[in-house]
Amino acid sequence: ETELARFASMQKMHKEMPTQVLNSAEVEEYIDWKDNQCDYQKQQNCVDFYLQQGADKLTLVMASQARLTARYNTIRQAKNYIEMMPPLITSPFPKYQLLMKATELERIEAISDISEGRVEQGVTRLAENAAFSRNLLRESNTLVSHMVAVAMMQRDTRILSELMTKYPKIATKYSAQLMPMFETVSTAEYNLEKSFKNERDMSLQVMSNLKYATAKDVSNNSSLIKNTLIS
């Protein structure tokens, strides 16, 4: 709502108003757990990486991330999801790294469930997590969120592949639940059209604002130059 109000103001003032500076005391920090998180570039098998840590350590990791998991569940339970990003150069991007960590926690939970015999629960968790990744890709309105969604889907698919290799019966017994994860994303609803339109709109907005700029606005020290053309 704040960004939409800034966009409406820009339409009248022909300049982007400053973004609201967050009070550091109000910004919630999340406990870092990077040492316990699989590096998809370096590890040959992320399922084995997590299982080798042991159930006790994974339980501690999940407990330390309870607040992040709760936030993620709130997002997933929303009745509708639409990414609203007005074409403002100065718009702050969400912390997508936290979203990626939240989805990884769900994969860990799914791996733990399946390895400990709660197979149906684990498969359901994995499938629902993957469905969110697809929904993010489908509704993506920026290049950044599109890339984030693709990265999340790659991880979903890799974990599923590793789980099916380790527990082959999953592929046959739960094929109906897992098949949506294999559906193509080459259809129009998943393409980059909306993201490219957003990039185009931002560029056009910058050039449009320049028509109303004064000599002072476009001086070497002006925020207009730094926040638009250079960006």
Side-chain angles (χ1 to χ4, degrees), residues 30 62 65-81 98-107 109-110 113 121 124-130 132 135 152:
Y30 294 94
M62 298 306 300
Q65 303 298 310
R67 184 167 53 184
L68 179 57
T69 300
R71 291 291 178 86
Y72 178 49
N73 287 333
T74 299
I75 293 173
R76 292 198 298 172
Q77 292 164 10
K79 185 176 181 180
N80 296 303
Y81 175 84
L98 289 178
L99 180 62
M100 292 195 71
K101 287 185 177 183
T103 61
E104 187 68 5
L105 289 167
E106 283 296 298
R107 296 184 193 99
E109 285 275 35
D113 285 338
Q121 179 176 315
T124 298
R125 188 187 298 274
L126 189 68
E128 290 178 352
N129 196 47
F132 175 81
N135 187 45
M152 286 162 47

Side-chain angles (χ1 to χ4, degrees), residues 41-42 144 209:
Q41 300 299 318
K42 296 180 180 179
V144 173
N209 287 344

Side-chain angles (χ1 to χ4, degrees), residues 41-119:
Q41 300 299 318
K42 296 180 180 179
Q43 295 294 333
Q44 291 186 347
N45 191 300
C46 283
V47 168
D48 287 343
F49 173 85
Y50 287 125
L51 293 179
Q52 288 166 6
Q53 294 186 47
D56 291 342
K57 183 178 287 187
L58 292 180
T59 298
L60 288 175
V61 169
M62 298 306 300
S64 73
Q65 303 298 310
R67 184 167 53 184
L68 179 57
T69 300
R71 291 291 178 86
Y72 178 49
N73 287 333
T74 299
I75 293 173
R76 292 198 298 172
Q77 292 164 10
K79 185 176 181 180
N80 296 303
Y81 175 84
I82 299 174
E83 182 183 33
M84 180 62 69
M85 184 68 75
L88 297 168
I89 291 291
T90 57
S91 282
F93 270 94
K95 291 187 176 181
Y96 285 117
Q97 68 270 29
L98 289 178
L99 180 62
M100 292 195 71
K101 287 185 177 183
T103 61
E104 187 68 5
L105 289 167
E106 283 296 298
R107 296 184 193 99
I108 294 175
E109 285 275 35
I111 292 168
S112 296
D113 285 338
I114 292 171
S115 68
E116 295 172 11
R118 301 181 297 275
V119 182

